[in-house]
Amino acid sequence: MKIAVIGTGYVGLVTGVVLADLGNDVICVDNDPVKLDKLRRGIPTIFEPGLEELMKRGLQGGFLRFEDSIVNAVRESDVIFIAVGTPPNADGTSDLRAVKIVASEIAKGIDSYKVVVNKSTVPVGSGDLVRDIIISHGVSEDLVDVVSNPEFLREGSAIYDTQHPDRIVIGTKRREAAIKLVEIYAPLERPMLITDIASAELIKYGANSFLAMKISFINAISRICEAAGADVADVAKGMGADTRIGSQFLQAGLGYGGSCFPKDVMALIRISEGLGYDFQLLNDVVAINDDQTLHFLRRLEAKLDGFDGKLIALLGLAFKPNTDDIRDAKSLQIIEYIVSKGGSVRGFDPVAGELVKEVHPELELAPSAYSVGDGADALILVTEWNEFRQLDLERLGEKMKRKLMFDGRRAYSKAAAQRAGFEYYTVGSN
Ligand code: UDX
């Protein structure tokens, strides 16, 4: 199949590369010349395990190209995926400017029947919006079908998730369009669900908001555990063993961050409002998430008698392991809080350090995990990178002023930390 993917962010680049690897002819389009130059040379613009190898394979095999003209790419393709960003507006609604511009450009390239696929996370009704924009440019109605095909990949395992999705959702009005998508995804041999467009759009928001709710739920339980002398890990294990609940996304910690959950939960709140329903439960999901890190910081603040004049070491800065993404990363909230209270911060992250420093120049970067604690009054484990799990804790604390550890992701055992001489505190247990 001849495919165009518009936008080479996380979703677009990974989708394009994986579809090329299945033997499709894929043109990835972006309007950023710097990005294009790198991509054409096989250099990924995001950090994602397995991406570089697959990209190189696609480029060398001639299945993958990077271009800057949407119109040309559309002319050459049967199916066009829109995978541009839909960042949040100040009020939490999605900013659809990029989608609208791309839809107008796509219209200019349509000279035969095309299927246009919304892969970006877009509000209910966006499928019709894209179709209306295309038709408003004079494209005949029978030359275009719009499909909603939401993406469920997680950063850090984006390639794997795209190749092994739990389900593939195809929302469309027309059988012909659904068949094209079924053909594209058939080699993955995964379950496919064909729905109307609005349902497909809502599946994405429903799934992400539900997962965010699971995280906030277990984080709320973690607060009760701290007060009751219980252990949230055991509670989560016991709850998750019920197959109706499931064990995933019950890891208590500092709360969720990243490019999807914070944005999608807020967007669903606004979508619901717009449709006349007050989704109060989701407001609480957000409130619990915001308070989770603050509560953790207040506990540390109390132990230190205030942050004023204190140096705090941060282990991990990315919003989660295996990514350099720092959007809505908890490290940002932590740095802001400590600095606003007169403290200073030093951090280490395997890949995201420089990116956080760009936003917070006051952050001092340590060259390694073992040096982050030098002279520090406390250490916070912010992101549970695998390489932090087996650190020699004695060495980690060796040069700290006070061996005080606040483990925001429950990555270490209390006994091991205490054996290494740390005062140890974590989320959801005493
Ligand atoms: C998420 C969805 O999982 C994915 O399906 C969707 O397409 C995009 O949004 P992503 O944001 O990449 O993916 O990461 P994910 O692994 O889901 O983690 C999101 C956040 O939740 C992270 O900050 C993570 O630390 C946190 N989290 C996750 C928890 O705090 N506890 C958990 O049990 C799971």
Side-chain angles (χ1 to χ4, degrees), residues 46-321:
I46 51 170
F47 176 83
E48 194 58 46
L51 177 61
E52 185 163 2
E53 188 197 334
L54 230 56
M55 246 177 94
K56 291 220 159 95
R57 211 151 74 197
L59 284 166
Q60 278 157 15
F63 295 108
L64 183 63
R65 274 157 53 198
F66 293 97
E67 302 292 346
D68 61 0
S69 164
I70 295 180
V71 176
N72 290 346
V74 169
R75 285 203 183 111
E76 285 190 49
S77 306
D78 305 310
V79 178
I80 299 109
F81 286 86
I82 302 179
V84 292
T86 51
N89 290 313
D91 65 354
T93 56
S94 302
D95 178 348
L96 292 177
R97 270 178 300 180
V99 172
K100 290 178 185 168
I101 293 168
V102 165
S104 298
E105 282 299 297
I106 289 173
K108 293 179 199 160
I110 295 183
D111 49 5
S112 60
Y113 176 68
K114 311 279 177 189
V115 175
V116 177
V117 185
N118 256 341
K119 200 111 188 98
S120 308
T121 303
V122 287
V124 182
S126 301
D128 290 339
L129 173 81
V130 168
R131 190 167 186 280
D132 291 346
I133 292 174
I134 293 174
I135 288 168
S136 74
H137 281 73
V139 174
S140 154
E141 290 196 17
D142 52 346
L143 282 189
V144 61
D145 273 316
V146 175
V147 175
S148 166
N149 170 226
E151 180 50 61
F152 300 97
L153 62 81
R154 288 164 301 177
E155 293 183 19
S157 54
I159 298 283
Y160 180 87
D161 288 351
T162 306
Q163 291 170 330
H164 306 87
D166 284 343
R167 75 306 203 187
I168 294 156
V169 177
I170 301 169
T172 177
K173 286 184 183 150
R174 284 231 311 197
R175 212 178 126 80
E176 289 80 349
I179 289 170
K180 286 253 187 250
L181 271 280
V182 169
E183 269 178 42
I184 290 175
Y185 288 118
L188 297 179
E189 297 184 18
R190 306 302 293 176
M192 297 195 208
L193 179 67
I194 299 178
T195 69
D196 59 82
I197 297 178
S199 300
E201 289 168 342
L202 260 179
I203 287 170
K204 171 74 186 186
Y205 285 105
N208 273 359
S209 298
F210 193 89
L211 292 169
M213 179 188 72
K214 267 186 109 174
I215 297 170
S216 277
F217 192 93
I218 202 64
N219 283 336
I221 295 278
S222 81
R223 299 285 288 273
I224 305 170
C225 287
E226 287 168 20
D231 188 318
V232 72
D234 289 338
V235 177
K237 206 182 248 175
M239 284 171 56
D242 185 327
T243 49
R244 292 170 302 177
I245 297 173
S247 59
Q248 294 189 55
F249 283 71
L250 283 182
Q251 173 71 44
L254 295 173
Y256 59 80
S259 63
C260 287
F261 286 172
K263 159 171 104 72
D264 292 352
V265 174
M266 280 314 298
L268 186 52
I269 292 172
R270 296 287 170 254
I271 291 167
S272 308
E273 261 170 28
L275 295 169
Y277 177 68
D278 177 13
F279 209 149
Q280 185 54 42
L281 173 65
L282 291 183
N283 287 321
D284 289 335
V285 167
V286 175
I288 292 168
N289 193 55
D290 290 344
D291 192 52
Q292 187 69 1
T293 307
L294 286 178
H295 165 72
F296 185 77
L297 287 167
R298 282 190 219 110
R299 285 172 68 203
L300 172 58
E301 196 173 10
K303 285 273 171 272
L304 288 172
D305 284 327
F307 283 122
D308 196 17
K310 307 278 168 38
L311 172 63
I312 311 300
L314 308 181
L315 204 47
L317 299 164
F319 93 88
K320 68 171 197 177

Side-chain angles (χ1 to χ4, degrees), residues 290-399:
D290 290 344
D291 192 52
Q292 187 69 1
T293 307
L294 286 178
H295 165 72
F296 185 77
L297 287 167
R298 282 190 219 110
R299 285 172 68 203
L300 172 58
E301 196 173 10
K303 285 273 171 272
L304 288 172
D305 284 327
F307 283 122
D308 196 17
K310 307 278 168 38
L311 172 63
I312 311 300
L314 308 181
L315 204 47
L317 299 164
F319 93 88
K320 68 171 197 177
N322 294 329
T323 179
D324 62 352
D325 199 334
I326 60 161
R327 283 176 283 181
D328 267 308
K330 288 296 174 183
S331 61
L332 307 177
Q333 195 184 353
I334 292 172
I335 293 168
E336 276 154 32
Y337 188 89
I338 294 171
V339 171
S340 76
K341 298 279 177 153
S344 51
V345 276
R346 184 189 298 130
F348 172 75
D349 188 280
V351 295
E354 292 295 341
L355 291 170
V356 176
K357 197 169 168 64
E358 273 174 33
V359 188
H360 285 293
E362 67 274 29
L363 171 75
E364 185 193 333
L365 286 181
S368 69
Y370 283 121
S371 57
V372 76
D374 291 2
D377 298 277
L379 180 140
I380 305 177
L381 187 280
V382 183
T383 314
E384 70 283 27
W385 284 86
N386 261 343
E387 62 189 82
F388 297 159
R389 290 188 188 272
Q390 297 297 340
L391 288 176
D392 174 346
L393 295 184
E394 271 183 40
R395 197 174 148 201
L396 186 67
E398 215 164 40
K399 294 190 186 151

